[in-house]
Amino acid sequence: MNHGPMQNGPILTVRLLGQFGLTLGDKPLDLPSRPAQSLLAWLMLHPGVAHRREHLAGLFWPDTTENSARSNLRHALWRLRRSIPAELIEADKITICLVENNSWWLDVKQLTAPHADSSRPDSLMALLDGCHGELLPGFYEDWIIRERERLASVYDERIAKLLSLLDAEARWNEVVEWAEKWIAYSHTPEPAYRALMTAHASLGNSSAAHTAYQRCIDALERELDVPPSPETEALAKQIRSGVFVPAVTRGQDDKMNATSVPLPSIHPVFPSNLATPVTPLIGRDAELARLSSLLADGSHRLVTVTGPGGMGKSRLALAAGHSALAAFPH
């Protein structure tokens, strides 16, 4: 249901990334009930949709009786309507709906909305600046965990694009800033550590570049129990041996010495006959890390993925193949 713009009244601001926060204009709103917070999050992530009450009751209280779940839903809705402008929620005996208009703002919507000017780093920085962490930390409902993983993939994709754009413009201090933000968000994004190494080396600080490399090793071992990728190792070797040559800024390409060593890109492209996935792989980080580790170990001539039909074995194998391209250039 889209009721068009509301002309009067302050904007309701809802933050779900890194925290749960509500403000109406400049005034903080109090919504201490966790079920009411979850209900608002669901409605905000699916605006304009009339959700049937039995579906919501089963989604939020799957382990209780139907009568108890419906009672809990009524109580959460009552608390929610006491905290936010009542006209934003349309509810009857069958459905509950969040009115879709411009009287509210959601940080998740800012992250996921199509961005017309994603080719400009300043525009991407403005988009990502309001994203301060994972979706609803401390909430463990199944639907929140699934949505959290999806949004993490969106964030990773956008910040990786930003770092590539900043790298191309040799804006090294900003590369350092945003690479650190990515690491704080995800802990083990190897491209972020490579971006840090590249930026510090380009700024002439090889010591900081080596520190970033060691941080990468420690994080991958601690979180995934895997070594750095061949590309990360190659970049570290260039910096360590003194053959690393900083990337040149635009307009200076013709001045680049013909013997310069090309800088490994943040997003390498290796020729292959692998299909290109149209969707990200969600919820298989541990399995992908294990499979990638086995592929990288030269003592294994064959690695077999087994499991029931339909569980995603082919999709996992395809992702592992893409992750291993750097180690198998031919």
Side-chain angles (χ1 to χ4, degrees):
M1 301 180 183
N2 192 327
H3 290 247
M6 294 180 64
Q7 302 298 325
N8 302 314
I11 298 294
L12 175 69
T13 297
V14 182
R15 296 192 178 276
L16 304 179
L17 298 175
Q19 61 178 333
F20 179 89
L22 284 178
T23 57
L24 186 62
D26 297 327
K27 178 185 176 183
L29 299 180
D30 188 31
L31 183 61
S33 166
R34 289 288 287 264
Q37 292 176 6
S38 294
L39 176 59
L40 177 60
W42 175 269
L43 295 175
M44 282 282 171
L45 291 170
H46 305 87
V49 178
H51 304 278
R52 295 186 67 89
R53 286 180 177 251
E54 65 266 26
H55 170 71
L56 295 175
L59 181 69
F60 294 116
W61 296 277
D63 300 324
T64 64
T65 65
E66 181 178 355
N67 286 339
S68 179
R70 283 179 171 271
S71 176
N72 290 337
L73 176 63
R74 287 193 297 271
H75 189 65
L77 179 61
W78 174 76
R79 285 184 173 273
L80 179 57
R81 300 186 84 165
R82 290 189 62 190
S83 298
I84 70 172
E87 63 271 15
L88 285 179
I89 303 291
E90 291 188 344
D92 54 33
K93 294 182 178 180
I94 300 175
T95 63
I96 301 173
C97 175
L98 175 77
V99 175
E100 188 173 18
N101 54 40
N102 63 0
S103 66
W104 54 268
W105 178 92
L106 177 66
D107 54 1
V108 174
K109 190 174 182 180
Q110 176 180 340
L111 174 64
T112 58
H115 198 53
D117 204 11
S118 61
S119 62
R120 295 180 60 250
D122 293 324
S123 186
L124 269 176
M125 283 190 283
L127 180 147
L128 291 168
D129 201 41
C131 305
H132 301 296
E134 67 179 15
L135 178 73
L136 293 173
F139 287 68
Y140 301 105
E141 290 93 328
D142 288 344
W143 74 266
I144 291 178
I145 293 173
R146 291 192 297 270
E147 190 69 10
R148 183 181 296 154
E149 292 172 346
R150 183 185 74 84
L151 293 175
S153 296
V154 174
Y155 181 87
D156 288 349
E157 177 185 348
R158 299 215 162 180
I159 201 167
K161 176 65 178 295
L162 171 61
L163 287 176
S164 294
L165 294 173
L166 293 173
D167 176 277
E169 296 184 6
R171 294 165 61 172
W172 305 122
N173 289 321
E174 289 165 301
V175 169
V176 170
E177 176 187 354
W178 283 95
E180 291 288 8
K181 287 183 179 181
W182 192 2
I183 291 168
Y185 180 92
S186 298
H187 302 299
T188 55
E190 199 170 349
Y193 288 104
R194 286 200 298 273
L196 267 185
M197 294 162 62
T198 298
H200 285 309
S202 298
L203 290 168
N205 192 342
S206 59
S207 176
H210 292 315
T211 299
Y213 171 60
Q214 188 59 53
R215 288 172 59 195
C216 179
I217 293 175
D218 294 342
L220 290 173
E221 182 178 1
R222 180 179 62 253
E223 301 290 336
L224 303 175
D225 195 25
V226 297
S229 69
E231 187 186 16
T232 302
E233 296 283 12
L235 177 59
K237 183 177 180 180
Q238 285 190 17
I239 297 171
R240 186 167 54 247
S241 62
V243 299
F244 172 84
V245 177
V248 293
T249 57
R250 290 181 179 176
Q252 294 179 319
D253 293 45
D254 55 334
K255 300 179 183 179
M256 186 174 183
N257 190 300
T259 62
S260 296
V261 179
L263 175 67
S265 64
I266 294 173
H267 279 297
V269 178
F270 300 97
S272 79
N273 60 354
L274 294 178
T276 300
V278 296
T279 58
L281 181 66
I282 302 298
R284 291 290 183 266
D285 292 348
E287 293 89 343
L288 180 58
R290 174 62 176 157
L291 186 52
S292 299
S293 177
L294 290 172
L295 290 173
D297 187 343
S299 64
H300 298 290
R301 296 185 63 250
L302 176 67
V303 179
T304 303
V305 180
T306 63
M311 71 176 299
K313 299 184 297 296
S314 298
R315 183 67 180 83
L316 175 63
L318 180 60
H322 277 282
S323 71
L325 286 177
F328 300 93
H330 302 295

